[in-house]
Amino acid sequence: MSRVLVPCHVKGSVALQVGDVRTSQGRPGVLVIDVTFPSVAPFELQEITFKNYYTAFLSIRVRQYTSAHTPAKWVTCLRDYCLMPDPHSEEGAQEYVSLFKHQSPSVTFPKWLSHPVPCEQPALLREGLPDPSRVSSEVQQMWALTEMIRASHTSARIGRFDVDGCYDLNLLSYT
Amino acid sequence: MLQEESDLSLIIAQIVQKLKGSNLYSQLERQAWASLQRPEIKLESLKEDIKEFFKISGWEKKLQNAVYSELSVFPLPSHPAAPPEHLKEPLVYMRKAQGSWEKRILKSLNSMCTELSIPLARKRPVGEQKELLNKWNEMGTDEPDLSLFRPVYAPKDFLEVLINLRNPNYENGDSLSFRTHLGLIQVPLKVKDIPELKECFVELGLNIGQLGIDDSTQVPPELFENEHVRIGQKVLAEQDSAAAQQYIRQGSPTALRAELWALILNISSQPEDVLYYEQLKTNVIQHDLLVDSLIYKDVKLTASNDDYYFVFEDYLYQVLLCFSRDTSVLSHFAFNSASPPKSYIRGKLGLEEYAVFYPPNGVIPFHGFSMYVAPLCFLYHEPSKLYQIFREMYVRFFFRLHSISSHPSGIVSLCLLFETLLQTYLPQLFYHLREIGAQPLRISFKWMVRAFSGYLATDQLLLLWDRILGYNSLEILAVLAAAVFAFRAVNLMEVTSLAAAENLAAHSEQFCTAPLFPELYRVQIPCTAELRQKEECSLLDSKSHSTEQRS
């Protein structure tokens, strides 16, 4: 099953705040980002990827259309998912995050399985090791990728720091 | 497919990828081919028989050590959407700060070039090459005129940069509040507190034997030392990196240290390695770099003036000059927030085919850099082995001490850990020192940047570096720095100036590192109320506490 990027429109964030928004004293702790999908055809959302910027907890709600006759419902898929274990420190503050949809028989309430925060140590060696044939196919993929990179890399001269025997330099470059 | 499983596959794939290019891979291939001659290898069960052969002959262990080494050094694969700079350093403002700092260094080096009219690099004329080759083992006798050269920067300059680091997204108000950092470091990195340190450094607990304390002359060797040495010998016989790393947390016996470090760092001197070192030596002979003069100057200013290390002066040149030419060091920049400086061949400015890194290894030495190598000279006397060990220590640990990053072992985290420990557990001392204008970090920064080299007696320093290897972390440097202050707390409370505080704290050589670790833990013990009573006493009644320590 191939996966494609779904075109979406991400609106600017809106602060949820009680009272006068203009006062600088009360800084809102909750922001809402609306994401709309312009394409009309229904799709199955597999993965949401984003880069965090100092958001500590994330909740995701989706408005689902179940059938033509019933009105669309708001469903909470994720509640207070922790992106920053300690919101007062930098852990997880600028990390890339992926949230996945776990295959589940229930259609109306999708279960979400989240990607472990990259700074955590993944639980190595759970029950048994991964399937060797899958690992070897991954290795082959990586090998192909490395070959591609190596081919396009211009300055990969292993061991040699000079250019055709010449290392006559003027000044250091700032770019 | 669950995410954790695919993560593991990815890690395995990456490690296999890395090892495929190594000597070990070709050796394993050769061994596998050669094993076909053996009678126990049967065609029907070829795969299993070869695997069994590898296990018995010790090759599987070598492979395990190599995998373990990869896991220790290289960070876990990051998110597929993350660009390469994210792996170097995830926080954008830190990357920017590192970039600005590097630009300043480059400008400084360029202006030195122009002022002195000395090229960054030049090919040596044949006569000069011959001369250098003859002098290779006694470069220390050379007395070149280095008066015009100055170090590119000193730890002090670097500290100023770290003090000015700010997270643009961090609001802690203009007025002094409980949220304002009392120390010099103002970025909110996550650092371990004492309960977390205790958990992490569990082998340094009071109830576990340590070399450096429990092998002193008053303690009968049957209690700890003999058994510990025996286990060390066994670990070496097994040639198991992971076991060695675990073992060395309690310190290494002097006789076993060189081998243990080589095992942990996965360094075995193969003919290829000696050849590689000889190639680097040839590069030194052929090309003269401006950086060489910086290295000379640094060695003359630091190691040559040190009672412990001046005898190794020649070794230091042999290592550091070769280090500057080693392009294999460039690979560590993938996970170092720093980037190698770039230059162009004369007359080819802007043409990418003529772009090179300068120096070839991308590392510009600063004042005190040679002190990273000096202690290793006590352990290794063969230049190529000494070189390999230093290089591995640099790409695993030392680079973090002079680049701006959010890594838990990075210098910024170490500074913050030091300040936080001191503020939390010795608040009176911290406040007092701050009041007299002697911010503790200004005193301890240079200790941490140099990993205490030159500030501790060598036997103590090597015990400290045992723990760096054992825990694969530099956090112990911050803990030791805080412990030094805790140890000197009584006397430090009485000083009235930064100079006096520096002077007092600088006489660190008079005590052992190992007892200092339990010292800091003694400040807080999570226990019953009864014990809590006792520890409060020891904080207030520091006099009896320190006399207890001295006996």
Side-chain angles (χ1 to χ4, degrees):
Chain A
M1 183 170 39
S2 63
R3 287 148 35 117
V4 290
L5 283 174
V6 180
C8 60
H9 179 60
V10 180
K11 294 194 184 151
S13 56
V14 175
L16 289 187
Q17 195 175 15
V18 176
D20 191 350
V21 182
R22 275 184 291 275
T23 55
S24 60
Q25 293 300 323
R27 291 168 68 96
V30 183
L31 297 171
V32 178
I33 298 174
D34 277 323
V35 180
T36 54
F37 300 97
S39 68
V40 188
F43 61 90
E44 195 146 297
L45 192 61
Q46 297 289 330
E47 179 183 345
I48 299 176
T49 303
F50 60 92
K51 182 175 194 286
N52 190 17
Y53 191 75
Y54 296 98
T55 297
F57 300 99
L58 180 67
S59 299
I60 298 181
R61 306 190 76 212
V62 288
R63 188 159 70 172
Q64 273 191 316
Y65 295 89
T66 40
S67 69
H69 305 290
T70 52
K73 289 193 316 174
W74 279 103
V75 172
T76 303
C77 303
L78 203 62
R79 185 188 292 286
D80 289 340
Y81 173 64
C82 179
L83 295 172
M84 290 173 66
D86 175 10
H88 295 294
S89 79
E90 297 277 7
E91 254 188 309
Q94 298 190 23
E95 287 299 332
Y96 288 82
V97 184
S98 274
L99 301 167
F100 295 91
K101 174 175 180 281
H102 181 63
Q103 292 294 82
S104 125
S106 152
V107 177
T108 49
F109 199 91
K111 291 191 178 61
W112 292 84
L113 191 70
S114 49
H115 182 101
V117 177
C119 56
E120 277 172 24
Q121 298 284 340
L124 293 173
L125 293 186
R126 291 159 55 241
E127 302 85 36
L129 296 163
D131 175 28
S133 51
R134 180 152 37 86
V135 174
S136 73
S137 76
E138 296 250 15
V139 173
Q140 278 168 16
Q141 278 177 46
M142 291 222 59
W143 184 248
L145 198 65
T146 321
E147 290 305 312
M148 266 169 54
I149 293 171
R150 210 179 292 212
S152 59
H153 216 276
T154 45
S155 58
R157 280 184 297 274
I158 302 156
R160 306 285 311 276
F161 56 81
D162 53 317
V163 179
D164 300 328
C166 178
Y167 196 62
D168 233 0
L169 305 178
N170 224 353
L171 290 174
L172 296 170
S173 163
Y174 297 136
T175 48
Chain B
M1 165 169 86
L2 283 177
Q3 196 53 30
E4 286 88 4
E5 262 186 33
S6 78
D7 275 345
L8 186 53
S9 303
L10 192 59
I11 293 170
I12 294 175
Q14 272 200 355
I15 293 179
V16 169
Q17 193 57 22
K18 287 229 162 63
L19 291 178
K20 252 187 166 155
S22 67
N23 280 338
L24 181 63
Y25 183 79
S26 22
Q27 281 175 322
L28 284 170
E29 252 191 338
R30 276 201 300 274
Q31 286 295 320
W33 278 108
S35 75
L36 294 176
Q37 312 282 343
R38 305 175 76 89
E40 63 267 23
I41 310 289
K42 302 206 174 19
L43 202 57
E44 318 81 73
S45 49
L46 190 65
K47 199 165 159 186
E48 297 309 317
D49 289 346
I50 293 186
K51 274 162 82 169
E52 188 59 32
F53 165 67
F54 277 163
K55 196 178 276 185
I56 299 171
S57 57
W59 282 100
E60 188 190 60
K61 180 81 350 142
K62 288 198 172 74
L63 180 59
Q64 277 177 346
N65 289 346
V67 171
Y68 190 70
S69 179
E70 293 295 323
L71 283 172
S72 303
V73 178
F74 287 92
L76 297 170
S78 53
H79 193 279
E85 45 280 14
H86 189 84
L87 190 67
K88 286 162 77 75
E89 169 52 48
L91 301 180
V92 175
Y93 73 89
M94 288 241 175
R95 284 207 301 263
K96 285 204 170 115
Q98 173 66 25
S100 310
W101 170 239
E102 275 172 20
K103 204 162 178 176
R104 275 174 62 184
I105 296 174
L106 298 189
K107 282 197 169 141
S108 173
L109 204 55
N110 273 349
S111 58
M112 201 189 302
C113 255
T114 358
E115 274 169 41
L116 304 178
S117 302
I118 293 176
L120 282 177
R122 67 175 178 99
K123 190 140 188 171
R124 280 187 230 268
V126 177
E128 194 185 316
Q129 289 189 27
K130 275 210 179 80
E131 205 188 312
L132 184 56
L133 191 57
N134 290 335
K135 268 200 324 214
W136 181 256
N137 289 321
E138 33 174 60
M139 283 185 275
T141 54
D142 220 8
E143 295 284 344
D145 180 15
L146 300 168
S147 55
L148 296 170
F149 290 99
R150 51 179 195 278
V152 181
Y153 65 96
K156 224 178 187 172
D157 309 309
F158 190 47
L159 178 59
E160 289 307 315
V161 176
L162 300 188
I163 290 171
N164 289 313
L165 268 179
R166 293 289 183 277
N167 175 350
N169 197 59
Y170 187 60
E171 163 83 43
N172 64 357
D174 295 320
S175 57
L176 224 61
S177 73
F178 71 92
R179 275 187 306 244
T180 318
H181 291 258
L182 286 171
L184 294 174
I185 303 296
Q186 297 292 318
V187 290
L189 294 174
K190 176 89 174 75
V191 291
K192 294 186 169 80
D193 55 16
I194 286 232
E196 285 166 327
L197 286 170
K198 278 170 83 92
E199 202 183 305
C200 181
F201 296 112
V202 72
E203 293 85 356
L204 296 180
L206 287 169
N207 56 329
I208 299 189
Q210 304 291 334
L211 284 184
I213 324 175
D214 302 301
D215 59 335
S216 66
T217 43
Q218 299 102 303
V219 180
E222 306 86 66
L223 281 181
F224 167 69
E225 194 184 351
N226 287 351
E227 182 62 13
H228 191 64
V229 173
R230 197 188 66 79
I231 296 175
Q233 286 160 339
K234 187 152 187 274
V235 164
L236 280 173
E238 293 290 309
Q239 284 290 294
D240 187 330
S241 288
Q245 189 166 328
Q246 178 63 37
Y247 168 79
I248 212 172
R249 292 176 178 188
Q250 290 169 263
S252 166
T254 313
L256 306 180
R257 184 173 278 122
E259 283 185 72
L260 278 169
W261 282 23
L263 181 56
I264 294 170
L265 297 170
N266 201 35
I267 290 186
S268 57
S269 261
Q270 303 289 319
E272 303 89 63
D273 303 313
V274 180
L275 254 155
Y276 188 79
Y277 175 75
E278 291 298 317
Q279 179 61 44
L280 293 175
K281 181 176 159 185
T282 314
N283 292 338
V284 176
I285 306 284
Q286 284 179 347
H287 293 271
D288 178 29
L289 305 180
L290 176 65
V291 176
D292 294 349
S293 305
L294 298 177
I295 290 170
Y296 270 108
K297 181 114 191 177
D298 185 50
V299 173
K300 293 282 184 206
L301 284 177
T302 56
S304 302
N305 282 331
D306 192 306
D307 290 339
Y308 291 108
Y309 303 122
F310 71 92
V311 290
F312 300 123
E313 192 182 337
D314 299 323
Y315 279 116
L316 296 177
Y317 298 124
Q318 290 173 18
V319 167
L320 288 166
L321 295 180
C322 289
F323 181 63
S324 294
R325 273 92 173 154
D326 194 346
T327 51
S328 71
V329 174
L330 291 172
S331 58
H332 93 286
F333 285 106
F335 49 87
N336 182 354
S337 61
S339 298
K342 211 167 131 181
S343 182
Y344 293 90
I345 300 291
R346 197 184 292 273
K348 310 283 186 191
L349 186 67
L351 297 172
E352 283 315 304
E353 320 84 86
Y354 293 95
V356 290
F357 293 122
Y358 182 85
N361 74 344
V363 180
I364 295 184
F366 57 92
H367 179 64
F369 193 85
S370 54
M371 294 304 280
Y372 289 144
V373 189
L376 303 173
C377 299
F378 275 102
L379 299 174
Y380 304 98
H381 305 119
E382 207 270 293
S384 74
K385 186 108 190 240
L386 172 63
Y387 177 75
Q388 279 185 281
I389 297 274
F390 165 66
R391 180 181 59 186
E392 192 61 28
M393 290 287 282
Y394 183 81
V395 301
R396 280 200 198 204
F397 305 112
F398 297 145
F399 76 90
R400 298 200 191 277
L401 295 172
H402 66 96
S403 52
I404 304 174
S405 89
S406 58
H407 193 274
S409 273
I411 189 68
V412 188
S413 301
L414 298 185
C415 289
L416 190 58
L417 176 59
F418 165 76
E419 289 192 317
T420 310
L421 283 174
L422 221 54
Q423 282 170 47
T424 314
Y425 298 101
L426 293 163
Q428 280 180 300
L429 176 63
F430 195 95
Y431 187 75
H432 169 71
L433 289 173
R434 212 169 150 256
E435 288 296 290
I436 62 166
Q439 275 274 11
L441 184 59
R442 288 200 189 276
I443 301 171
S444 66
F445 184 71
K446 50 190 177 296
W447 304 341
M448 294 191 284
V449 164
R450 280 214 211 154
F452 281 86
S453 176
Y455 296 105
L456 280 179
T458 313
D459 57 331
Q460 303 304 311
L461 183 75
L462 293 172
L463 283 169
L464 176 65
W465 286 16
D466 283 342
R467 271 67 177 210
I468 293 179
L469 284 165
Y471 292 101
N472 200 30
S473 155
L474 292 165
E475 285 159 310
I476 202 87
L477 297 177
V479 174
L480 177 59
V484 169
F485 275 74
F487 188 79
R488 294 282 190 208
V490 175
N491 302 31
L492 280 169
M493 283 300 290
E494 288 163 17
V495 297
T496 51
S497 72
L498 171 60
E502 283 243 33
N503 202 36
L504 185 62
H507 291 95
S508 328
E509 293 189 30
Q510 288 155 28
F511 50 70
C512 294
T513 54
L516 283 176
F517 303 138
E519 158 75 43
L520 199 62
Y521 301 152
R522 228 187 281 189
V523 176
Q524 161 128 340
I525 307 162
C527 258
T528 63
E530 187 197 60
L531 268 171
R532 205 166 302 225
Q533 271 274 339
K534 251 197 223 152
E535 117 219 359
E536 250 153 48
C537 267
S538 74
L539 264 180
L540 294 168
D541 190 8
S542 325
K543 269 207 172 74
S544 64
H545 184 62
S546 62
T547 13
E548 185 186 288
Q549 188 61 21
R550 259 178 252 279
S551 61

